[in-house]
Amino acid sequence: MLNENVKALRKSKGLSQEELAVKLNVVRQTISKWEQGLSVPDADMLVALSEALETPTSVLLGETVAEARADDLRVIAEKLEVINLQLAKRRVLWRRLLHWLFLSLCAAIVLIFAVLVIVGSPYQGWDYHSPETAVAGVALHTVEWLFVRAAPVVLVGAATGAFLTRKRA
């Protein structure tokens, strides 16, 4: 009776012998022996088995449990639905992350341009006759020159990315 109940409940939960064995931290052959009636679990293992199968121990030891014939396509469809929901959530999370990254990049570029305008490009009034300040002046000039040339392209790309990753109604 126990062997038939274990097998019927395991199948009704959609578990293989291997999956049930992993849950109980035993080898698959142990589950097979229980289901064939060649051995029985001890009291502690019976409690763990009832928890793994989400059923009271009295049901395991009591009446015969009718084997539930789960529609294989329905079970597969349910598992696929769960996987699809997880993938959709992950896709939405990445889209939000990219959207805010693009918006932050746009804001940073505009902010840096504003600082450069307010400050008035300090490298233009730099004293290039002193060797120590000449190197710093050239470095600042190079950074600002690269920023001014690249920032519009990056700004357009970031704005386009922010637009494409926006939340659609």
Side-chain angles (χ1 to χ4, degrees), residues 5 12-13 31 35-37 40-41 48-49 53 63 70 80 85 99 112-113 141 144 150 163 169:
N5 290 346
S12 72
K13 299 290 181 187
I31 305 298
E35 290 181 358
Q36 293 174 13
V40 294
L49 181 62
L53 294 174
E63 302 173 4
L80 286 175
L85 287 173
H99 179 74
I112 292 171
F113 263 119
H141 177 76
E144 188 172 348
F163 176 76

Side-chain angles (χ1 to χ4, degrees), residues 125-139:
W126 206 271
D127 179 16
Y128 290 98
H129 297 298
S130 171
E132 291 84 16
T133 58
V135 172
V138 169

Side-chain angles (χ1 to χ4, degrees), residues 40-60:
V40 294
D42 62 14
D44 292 334
M45 190 56 69
L46 187 63
V47 171
L49 181 62
S50 72
E51 290 172 359
L53 294 174
E54 299 170 350
T55 187
T57 54
S58 60
V59 171
L60 285 174

Side-chain angles (χ1 to χ4, degrees), residues 5-16 35 53 67-68 70:
N5 290 346
V6 169
K7 186 174 185 177
L9 288 167
R10 175 185 59 80
K11 286 185 175 184
S12 72
K13 299 290 181 187
L15 296 171
S16 67
E35 290 181 358
L53 294 174
E67 183 176 326

Side-chain angles (χ1 to χ4, degrees), residues 65-86:
V65 176
E67 183 176 326
R69 301 220 179 239
D71 183 18
D72 290 340
L73 291 177
R74 182 182 53 79
V75 171
I76 291 171
E78 288 173 358
K79 287 182 180 180
L80 286 175
E81 184 178 354
V82 168
I83 291 170
N84 283 334
L85 287 173
Q86 291 171 345

